Amino acid sequence: MAIQRLNIDQQFAEIGVRTTPAKLNIKMPRGQLTIKTEAPQMKIERKAASFKINRQKQNNESGLKGPLELAKTFRNKGRQKALQGVGQNKDDGNFLANTAIKGDKIPKLAAGKAKARLGPREFNIGLMPQSSPEIQWDKGYMRINWSKHSVVIDYSGEYMPDLTVDPKYSVEVFLRTEPYFRVMVEEAVESTGKYVDSAI
């Protein structure tokens, strides 16, 4: 006779976990560094030495007078002659008015003046001019000024790091194998003998 056999098949669920680690990318931008150096500058202020020679006094003593000095000389001589003339007229008047002098006074006065004009004269010999020229000196100057040495550093552009996470951290849980429970009744092969399935 045919024997029926009960077959039970069971499978448990299997869970899978997939983890993706995060990856951190750091990007450091490079800024532009500019260095400007200004060298010291030298500035020179200079005035050359000079001198002035004043020969006016020598020219006056040598007779080479300028118009202004010549006018002053003529003025002084005219004043002196006028004073001498007034004094001479006063002396002549006193001589003519003097009653103590006897005889004809006018010829005596004229003879005295002629004798004075024809009298001995004095001559002086000397070096001309006697004065030295006046010299005025200007020593001048030289000034050297230096500007300061300077260094200017300019940094342009971004200098903060750029942080990006790619890919992001993730955990994925999935069902790898679905569970099932299966019961089947199978027809066993006919057999004879003493072997009987105890589960039945």
Side-chain angles (χ1 to χ4, degrees):
M1 62 181 287
I3 300 174
Q4 291 185 346
R5 185 174 58 185
L6 184 64
N7 188 5
I8 300 175
D9 186 12
Q10 182 180 2
Q11 179 176 301
F12 294 97
E14 184 179 355
I15 297 176
V17 178
R18 185 183 295 118
T19 303
T20 303
K23 185 177 179 182
L24 179 63
N25 296 319
I26 301 176
K27 184 178 179 181
M28 179 65 73
R30 293 185 178 180
Q32 185 176 3
L33 183 65
T34 304
I35 300 177
K36 184 179 180 182
T37 303
E38 294 182 359
Q41 300 291 329
M42 182 177 66
K43 184 179 180 181
I44 300 177
E45 296 180 4
R46 181 176 61 180
K47 181 181 179 183
S50 61
F51 63 91
K52 295 181 181 179
I53 301 177
N54 187 0
R55 301 177 59 91
Q56 186 63 41
K57 193 173 183 180
Q58 287 183 311
N59 293 338
N60 293 339
E61 293 176 358
S62 301
L64 303 175
K65 298 180 179 181
L68 182 60
E69 192 66 26
L70 192 60
K72 290 181 181 179
T73 302
F74 287 156
R75 181 198 63 189
N76 294 335
K77 285 186 178 181
R79 183 181 298 172
Q80 184 179 3
K81 291 293 184 181
L83 293 176
Q84 288 178 357
V86 171
Q88 187 65 42
N89 291 335
K90 183 188 70 171
D91 294 339
D92 293 346
N94 292 334
F95 179 80
L96 294 176
N98 190 355
T99 57
I101 299 175
K102 304 297 183 181
D104 195 353
K105 299 178 182 179
I106 294 177
K108 291 182 179 181
L109 180 62
K113 289 184 178 183
K115 185 178 179 180
R117 285 195 297 268
L118 298 176
R121 296 181 178 272
E122 295 182 357
F123 295 94
N124 294 325
I125 299 176
L127 298 176
M128 292 182 65
Q130 298 180 354
S131 301
S132 300
E134 297 178 359
I135 300 177
Q136 297 177 350
W137 280 95
D138 186 359
K139 293 187 280 187
Y141 59 85
M142 177 180 286
R143 301 188 185 99
I144 300 177
N145 298 322
W146 284 91
S147 63
K148 294 182 179 180
H149 175 76
S150 63
V151 177
V152 179
I153 300 176
D154 186 16
Y155 191 88
S156 60
E158 297 292 335
Y159 58 92
M160 294 297 294
D162 185 13
L163 305 178
T164 58
V165 179
D166 186 25
K168 297 180 180 180
Y169 177 79
S170 64
V171 177
E172 181 183 357
V173 180
F174 59 92
L175 187 62
R176 187 188 300 271
T177 304
E178 295 182 359
Y180 66 85
F181 185 83
R182 186 168 51 197
V183 178
M184 294 182 299
V185 178
E186 297 179 353
E187 293 290 338
V189 181
E190 292 184 1
S191 62
T192 59
K194 58 181 180 181
Y195 298 102
V196 178
D197 193 345
S198 61
I200 299 173

